[in-house]
Amino acid sequence: MKHKEQPILEVLVETDPAGTVELDSEIGHVKMIPFKGSVKSSIFTGIVEPCGVDTQVTNQNEVRHMSARYMLTGKDKEGADCRIYVENNAWFTDGARPKPFRTVPTFITDSKALAPLLHRNQFIGEGLRDETGLWIRFYELEN
């Protein structure tokens, strides 16, 4: 699917490797990675609260489901205090993770200015690591 050129949100993720927990079992592997971060964009500026977690479950067929859930706190495009809850999902097979990897995000916000946009669920996410860290960028899909 095609998306608009400019991301609506850009999240710089800061993981906490020391807080990572894992579980191995006969039916799969679970890895939970805590994180925080920062967000800058034309519609929102703020932080990723330090309670974010990326849960990665790899089943016995080597299909990995990544589900990151986190809360953004900051100011919307009109300068009002607000929060944005993000649930961001991705699936990979054979242990492979493309670069960039694609995700399916869902947003919930208390911002009156952002709700008409974010509550439509017409977005795609891209994750890419570079020299500054892991970036998650969210784009609005084109009609």
PDB file of all heavy atoms in Angstrom, residues 1 7 21 25 27 36 41 49 64 68 77 88 120 124 137:
ATOM      1  N   MET A   1       0.830  -1.175   0.000  1.00  0.00           N
ATOM      2  CA  MET A   1       0.000   0.000   0.000  1.00  0.00           C
ATOM      3  C   MET A   1       0.876   1.240   0.000  1.00  0.00           C
ATOM      4  O   MET A   1       1.910   1.263   0.645  1.00  0.00           O
ATOM      5  CB  MET A   1      -0.900   0.036   1.235  1.00  0.00           C
ATOM      6  CG  MET A   1      -1.902  -1.073   1.314  1.00  0.00           C
ATOM      7  SD  MET A   1      -3.156  -0.653   2.525  1.00  0.00           S
ATOM      8  CE  MET A   1      -4.528  -0.434   1.423  1.00  0.00           C
ATOM      9  N   PRO A   7       6.012  11.374   7.507  1.00  0.00           N
ATOM     10  CA  PRO A   7       5.393  10.639   8.617  1.00  0.00           C
ATOM     11  C   PRO A   7       4.559  11.570   9.496  1.00  0.00           C
ATOM     12  O   PRO A   7       4.884  12.749   9.631  1.00  0.00           O
ATOM     13  CB  PRO A   7       6.590  10.076   9.390  1.00  0.00           C
ATOM     14  CG  PRO A   7       7.759  10.908   8.995  1.00  0.00           C
ATOM     15  CD  PRO A   7       7.467  11.455   7.631  1.00  0.00           C
ATOM     16  N   VAL A  21      13.188  -9.580  29.536  1.00  0.00           N
ATOM     17  CA  VAL A  21      12.935 -10.911  30.091  1.00  0.00           C
ATOM     18  C   VAL A  21      12.540 -11.852  28.966  1.00  0.00           C
ATOM     19  O   VAL A  21      11.927 -11.434  27.983  1.00  0.00           O
ATOM     20  CB  VAL A  21      11.850 -10.901  31.197  1.00  0.00           C
ATOM     21  CG1 VAL A  21      12.339 -10.152  32.419  1.00  0.00           C
ATOM     22  CG2 VAL A  21      10.556 -10.313  30.695  1.00  0.00           C
ATOM     23  N   SER A  25       9.996 -22.281  25.612  1.00  0.00           N
ATOM     24  CA  SER A  25       9.127 -23.416  25.900  1.00  0.00           C
ATOM     25  C   SER A  25       9.060 -24.310  24.672  1.00  0.00           C
ATOM     26  O   SER A  25       9.550 -23.957  23.602  1.00  0.00           O
ATOM     27  CB  SER A  25       7.747 -22.931  26.321  1.00  0.00           C
ATOM     28  OG  SER A  25       6.778 -23.142  25.350  1.00  0.00           O
ATOM     29  N   ILE A  27       6.621 -24.840  22.854  1.00  0.00           N
ATOM     30  CA  ILE A  27       5.759 -24.295  21.795  1.00  0.00           C
ATOM     31  C   ILE A  27       6.187 -22.912  21.319  1.00  0.00           C
ATOM     32  O   ILE A  27       5.512 -22.315  20.484  1.00  0.00           O
ATOM     33  CB  ILE A  27       4.275 -24.274  22.215  1.00  0.00           C
ATOM     34  CG1 ILE A  27       4.061 -23.368  23.411  1.00  0.00           C
ATOM     35  CG2 ILE A  27       3.778 -25.683  22.482  1.00  0.00           C
ATOM     36  CD1 ILE A  27       2.600 -23.019  23.645  1.00  0.00           C
ATOM     37  N   LYS A  36      11.586   3.282  26.414  1.00  0.00           N
ATOM     38  CA  LYS A  36      11.070   4.651  26.525  1.00  0.00           C
ATOM     39  C   LYS A  36      11.519   5.345  25.259  1.00  0.00           C
ATOM     40  O   LYS A  36      12.021   4.696  24.331  1.00  0.00           O
ATOM     41  CB  LYS A  36      11.604   5.343  27.778  1.00  0.00           C
ATOM     42  CG  LYS A  36      13.124   5.445  27.805  1.00  0.00           C
ATOM     43  CD  LYS A  36      13.612   6.066  29.082  1.00  0.00           C
ATOM     44  CE  LYS A  36      15.133   6.183  29.051  1.00  0.00           C
ATOM     45  NZ  LYS A  36      15.657   6.876  30.212  1.00  0.00           N
ATOM     46  N   SER A  41       7.129  15.586  15.717  1.00  0.00           N
ATOM     47  CA  SER A  41       6.419  15.625  14.441  1.00  0.00           C
ATOM     48  C   SER A  41       5.672  16.942  14.344  1.00  0.00           C
ATOM     49  O   SER A  41       5.670  17.733  15.289  1.00  0.00           O
ATOM     50  CB  SER A  41       5.434  14.457  14.321  1.00  0.00           C
ATOM     51  OG  SER A  41       4.286  14.695  15.111  1.00  0.00           O
ATOM     52  N   GLU A  49       6.490   7.230  27.410  1.00  0.00           N
ATOM     53  CA  GLU A  49       6.585   6.928  28.845  1.00  0.00           C
ATOM     54  C   GLU A  49       7.444   5.674  29.042  1.00  0.00           C
ATOM     55  O   GLU A  49       7.406   4.764  28.207  1.00  0.00           O
ATOM     56  CB  GLU A  49       5.192   6.716  29.440  1.00  0.00           C
ATOM     57  CG  GLU A  49       4.332   7.970  29.458  1.00  0.00           C
ATOM     58  CD  GLU A  49       4.797   9.018  30.465  1.00  0.00           C
ATOM     59  OE1 GLU A  49       5.664   8.721  31.312  1.00  0.00           O
ATOM     60  OE2 GLU A  49       4.288  10.155  30.386  1.00  0.00           O
ATOM     61  N   ARG A  64       7.109 -14.962  14.002  1.00  0.00           N
ATOM     62  CA  ARG A  64       7.280 -14.047  15.129  1.00  0.00           C
ATOM     63  C   ARG A  64       6.241 -12.941  15.049  1.00  0.00           C
ATOM     64  O   ARG A  64       6.107 -12.273  14.024  1.00  0.00           O
ATOM     65  CB  ARG A  64       8.680 -13.434  15.122  1.00  0.00           C
ATOM     66  CG  ARG A  64       8.860 -12.501  16.300  1.00  0.00           C
ATOM     67  CD  ARG A  64      10.229 -11.927  16.501  1.00  0.00           C
ATOM     68  NE  ARG A  64      11.141 -12.059  15.396  1.00  0.00           N
ATOM     69  CZ  ARG A  64      12.290 -11.420  15.328  1.00  0.00           C
ATOM     70  NH1 ARG A  64      12.665 -10.617  16.293  1.00  0.00           N
ATOM     71  NH2 ARG A  64      13.078 -11.577  14.296  1.00  0.00           N
ATOM     72  N   ALA A  68       4.188  -3.995  20.161  1.00  0.00           N
ATOM     73  CA  ALA A  68       4.689  -2.952  21.054  1.00  0.00           C
ATOM     74  C   ALA A  68       3.493  -2.129  21.525  1.00  0.00           C
ATOM     75  O   ALA A  68       2.636  -1.746  20.728  1.00  0.00           O
ATOM     76  CB  ALA A  68       5.699  -2.067  20.336  1.00  0.00           C
ATOM     77  N   LYS A  77      -0.669  19.467  18.160  1.00  0.00           N
ATOM     78  CA  LYS A  77      -0.323  20.537  17.215  1.00  0.00           C
ATOM     79  C   LYS A  77      -0.890  21.890  17.622  1.00  0.00           C
ATOM     80  O   LYS A  77      -0.425  22.916  17.150  1.00  0.00           O
ATOM     81  CB  LYS A  77      -0.781  20.171  15.806  1.00  0.00           C
ATOM     82  CG  LYS A  77      -2.285  19.993  15.655  1.00  0.00           C
ATOM     83  CD  LYS A  77      -2.627  19.520  14.273  1.00  0.00           C
ATOM     84  CE  LYS A  77      -4.129  19.318  14.114  1.00  0.00           C
ATOM     85  NZ  LYS A  77      -4.458  18.842  12.781  1.00  0.00           N
ATOM     86  N   ASN A  88       1.285  -1.329  18.275  1.00  0.00           N
ATOM     87  CA  ASN A  88       1.947  -1.478  16.984  1.00  0.00           C
ATOM     88  C   ASN A  88       2.317  -2.948  16.786  1.00  0.00           C
ATOM     89  O   ASN A  88       3.075  -3.506  17.574  1.00  0.00           O
ATOM     90  CB  ASN A  88       3.205  -0.593  16.962  1.00  0.00           C
ATOM     91  CG  ASN A  88       3.689  -0.325  15.572  1.00  0.00           C
ATOM     92  OD1 ASN A  88       2.947  -0.408  14.611  1.00  0.00           O
ATOM     93  ND2 ASN A  88       4.958   0.010  15.463  1.00  0.00           N
ATOM     94  N   ARG A 120      -8.880   7.036  12.907  1.00  0.00           N
ATOM     95  CA  ARG A 120      -9.325   6.454  11.636  1.00  0.00           C
ATOM     96  C   ARG A 120      -8.641   5.131  11.301  1.00  0.00           C
ATOM     97  O   ARG A 120      -9.090   4.404  10.425  1.00  0.00           O
ATOM     98  CB  ARG A 120      -9.074   7.438  10.483  1.00  0.00           C
ATOM     99  CG  ARG A 120      -9.948   8.651  10.576  1.00  0.00           C
ATOM    100  CD  ARG A 120      -9.820   9.582   9.376  1.00  0.00           C
ATOM    101  NE  ARG A 120      -8.450   9.876   9.041  1.00  0.00           N
ATOM    102  CZ  ARG A 120      -7.898   9.657   7.848  1.00  0.00           C
ATOM    103  NH1 ARG A 120      -8.597   9.148   6.872  1.00  0.00           N
ATOM    104  NH2 ARG A 120      -6.652   9.944   7.627  1.00  0.00           N
ATOM    105  N   ILE A 124       0.305   3.036   8.417  1.00  0.00           N
ATOM    106  CA  ILE A 124       1.301   1.973   8.339  1.00  0.00           C
ATOM    107  C   ILE A 124       2.528   2.481   9.093  1.00  0.00           C
ATOM    108  O   ILE A 124       2.800   3.681   9.134  1.00  0.00           O
ATOM    109  CB  ILE A 124       1.642   1.620   6.868  1.00  0.00           C
ATOM    110  CG1 ILE A 124       2.443   0.327   6.798  1.00  0.00           C
ATOM    111  CG2 ILE A 124       2.357   2.760   6.168  1.00  0.00           C
ATOM    112  CD1 ILE A 124       2.512  -0.257   5.402  1.00  0.00           C
ATOM    113  N   ARG A 137       8.462   5.064  12.416  1.00  0.00           N
ATOM    114  CA  ARG A 137       7.785   6.173  11.727  1.00  0.00           C
ATOM    115  C   ARG A 137       6.406   5.702  11.290  1.00  0.00           C
ATOM    116  O   ARG A 137       6.267   4.613  10.725  1.00  0.00           O
ATOM    117  CB  ARG A 137       8.611   6.634  10.531  1.00  0.00           C
ATOM    118  CG  ARG A 137       9.925   7.270  10.958  1.00  0.00           C
ATOM    119  CD  ARG A 137      10.769   7.713   9.761  1.00  0.00           C
ATOM    120  NE  ARG A 137      11.934   8.437  10.207  1.00  0.00           N
ATOM    121  CZ  ARG A 137      13.143   7.894  10.381  1.00  0.00           C
ATOM    122  NH1 ARG A 137      13.330   6.607  10.122  1.00  0.00           N
ATOM    123  NH2 ARG A 137      14.156   8.623  10.804  1.00  0.00           N
TER     124      ARG A 137
END
